[in-house]
Structures are given as C-alpha cells and as structure tokens.
Amino acid sequence: TGLSVTARILDATYEIGRTCSDTFRDVKDRFIRHDCVNGQWNYLVDPNGFAC
C-alpha cells in the first residue's frame, strides 16, 4: 500500500572497533530517532532534522 524500499550493498571493509566522532553523534541524533521500546529495530529518519 505505497511502501517502497531501496537497498544497496556496500563492498567496503570497515575496521572492527572504530568509534565515531562526537560531531557524527550530534549530527546522527538530529536525523534519527529510535523507538523507546525496541529502538534497535524501530526508528524514524527525517532528512530535514527533527525540531527540538
């Protein structure tokens, strides 16, 4: 009923244990909101950023 999903496979290799910068965490938190009950699987992404 109108749902459309697009997926891409990345062929890149990433180091295990790399941490992201505080800047990335701040930007990520502006655009991704995780659900309180099961945030690993349920989240919203807003390309315009969430209003605080």
Side-chain angles (χ1 to χ4, degrees), residues 19-39:
T19 58
C20 59
S21 68
D22 290 335
T23 303
F24 175 79
R25 289 177 199 267
D26 292 341
V27 170
K28 174 191 69 72
D29 291 340
R30 284 184 42 214
F31 298 100
I32 300 174
R33 294 282 190 231
H34 295 273
D35 185 67
C36 296
V37 176
N38 192 359

Side-chain angles (χ1 to χ4, degrees), residues 2-52:
L3 177 64
S4 177
V5 177
T6 302
R8 294 186 184 145
I9 296 175
L10 300 176
D11 291 332
T13 303
Y14 298 95
E15 296 175 32
I16 295 175
R18 277 182 66 181
T19 58
C20 59
S21 68
D22 290 335
T23 303
F24 175 79
R25 289 177 199 267
D26 292 341
V27 170
K28 174 191 69 72
D29 291 340
R30 284 184 42 214
F31 298 100
I32 300 174
R33 294 282 190 231
H34 295 273
D35 185 67
C36 296
V37 176
N38 192 359
Q40 184 177 5
W41 294 99
N42 299 319
Y43 53 88
L44 286 170
V45 178
D46 183 351
N48 298 315
F50 290 91
C52 296

